[in-house]
């Protein structure tokens, strides 16, 4: 036996982490549901604790009760934005679920090329755009189908609840590993060098996308109609009633024949199912209200 090991002092310990009580978790879950529609089941308690510890340290909060008081107080709007950023995951990449972009081309672009070249409006919405690969993929898809159109009546709206991630999206700059899914012809047409191992979406493409902060649980300053709405891997954070309300609101903003794409693990349910018809895997088209049996029109 090594007697030195018996007398060696214990290594110094850092300060103990604050206890995250059931009451603390219930408070966070209540705020997340009220403000953002997020559903936090008790099974996520440890995950919530680990993600919020950074915020406690940044703010100098002694415990979670103090943090709850701060985030739920009258001056807590800024911290509530930090809260939702900590609780949600911004995982996305270019041309994710590529079949949706093929449908965008086949449904919203190819049948209407003459009209679009003549100035017909095209309105697309990326709801929950994260760091920007989704709306920029939309822009590349449109411009690949219409390379001869010098001036398109095109607007791509990209919204997210997280101001920090929107700032990154607006920078339009990505690492080499982030652009791997972009087909090589589109890389050549829409990317330019931006430093070592960095690439920027060219201005003519990036300028087609307009970013804005939007809480999907709040009022929407949007009138539509949209030709396509991508709201993918957003509703997974919501409970079923909140999902149903969201699907219905989105469907009602589509033009007849317009395209709604949702995430691969999401399923449309509730009143929205009477407004749309399946168009493929996790993709739907808006029914023409003039035809109650669901016949579609591509006007």
């Amino acid at each position: 036996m090594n007697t030195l090991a018996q007398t060696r002092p214990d290594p110094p310990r850092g300060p103990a982490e604050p206890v995250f009580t059931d009451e603390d978790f219930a408070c966070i879950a209540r705020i997340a549901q009220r403000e953002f529609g997020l559903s936090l089941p008790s099974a996520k308690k440890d995950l919530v604790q680990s993600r919020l510890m950074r915020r406690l340290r940044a703010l100098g909060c002694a415990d979670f009760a103090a943090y709850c008081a701060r985030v739920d107080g009258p001056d807590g709007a800024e911290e509530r934005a930090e809260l939702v950023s900590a609780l949600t995951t911004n995982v996305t990449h270019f041309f994710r679920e590529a079949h949706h972009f093929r449908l965008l081309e086949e449904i919203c672009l190819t049948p209407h090329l003459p009209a679009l070249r003549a100035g017909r409006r095209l309105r697309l919405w990326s709801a929950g755009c994260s760091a920007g690969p989704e709306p920029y993929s939309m822009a590349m898809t449109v411009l690949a189908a219409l390379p001869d159109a010098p001036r398109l009546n095109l607007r791509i709206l990209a919204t997210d609840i997280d101001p920090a991630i929107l700032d990154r999206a607006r920078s339009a700059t990505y690492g080499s590993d982030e652009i791997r899914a972009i087909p090589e012809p589109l890389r050549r047409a829409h990317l330019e060098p931006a430093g070592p191992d960095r690439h920027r979406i060219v201005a003519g493409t990036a300028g087609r996308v307009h970013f804005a902060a939007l809480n999907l649980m709040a009022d929407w300053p949007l009138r539509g109609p949209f030709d396509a709405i991508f709201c993918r891997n957003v509703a997974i954070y919501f409970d079923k009633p909140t999902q149903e309300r969201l699907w219905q609101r989105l469907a009602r903003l589509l033009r007849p024949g317009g395209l709604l794409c949702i995430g691969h693990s999401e399923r449309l349910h509730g009143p929205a199912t009477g407004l749309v018809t399946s168009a493929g895997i996790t993709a739907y088209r808006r029914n023409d209200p003039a035809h109650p049996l669901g016949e579609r029109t591509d006007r």
Side-chain angles (χ1 to χ4, degrees), residues 131 136 167-174 191 199-202 206 211:
Y136 290 135
D167 286 341
R168 182 166 182 241
R170 290 187 184 98
S171 75
T173 304
Y174 302 92
L191 294 173
H199 311 268
R200 183 183 299 111
I201 309 296
V202 298
F211 292 96

Side-chain angles (χ1 to χ4, degrees), residues 139-219:
M140 292 179 197
T141 300
V142 173
L143 294 173
L146 289 159
D148 57 333
R151 292 185 180 181
L152 292 177
N153 188 355
L154 164 67
R155 184 180 180 90
I156 301 173
L157 175 65
T159 65
D160 201 280
I161 197 170
D162 186 346
I165 205 69
L166 285 172
D167 286 341
R168 182 166 182 241
R170 290 187 184 98
S171 75
T173 304
Y174 302 92
S176 295
D177 57 330
E178 295 177 288
I179 66 167
R180 286 176 183 162
I182 303 176
E184 184 59 34
L186 296 183
R187 289 194 209 179
R188 292 195 300 267
H190 300 285
L191 294 173
E192 62 185 8
D197 198 40
R198 304 295 290 170
H199 311 268
R200 183 183 299 111
I201 309 296
V202 298
T205 305
R208 301 288 183 170
V209 182
H210 302 266
F211 292 96
L214 182 68
N215 182 348
L216 290 174
M217 296 300 102
D219 292 334

Side-chain angles (χ1 to χ4, degrees), residues 183-255:
E184 184 59 34
L186 296 183
R187 289 194 209 179
R188 292 195 300 267
H190 300 285
L191 294 173
E192 62 185 8
D197 198 40
R198 304 295 290 170
H199 311 268
R200 183 183 299 111
I201 309 296
V202 298
T205 305
R208 301 288 183 170
V209 182
H210 302 266
F211 292 96
L214 182 68
N215 182 348
L216 290 174
M217 296 300 102
D219 292 334
W220 300 351
L222 312 172
R223 292 186 299 173
F226 289 94
D227 296 87
I229 300 174
F230 282 35
C231 186
R232 308 187 301 172
N233 306 306
V234 175
I236 55 174
Y237 295 104
F238 304 151
D239 59 25
K240 189 171 182 178
T242 304
Q243 290 177 357
E244 291 184 356
R245 290 191 294 271
L246 175 64
W247 300 142
Q248 185 178 31
R249 293 178 75 185
L250 293 173
R252 290 191 181 280
L253 278 179
L254 286 169
R255 71 160 63 234

Side-chain angles (χ1 to χ4, degrees), residues 10-29:
D10 292 334
R13 296 181 179 179
E17 290 191 350
V19 175
F20 190 45
T21 67
D22 290 343
E23 290 75 15
D24 295 332
F25 176 75
C27 176
I28 295 297

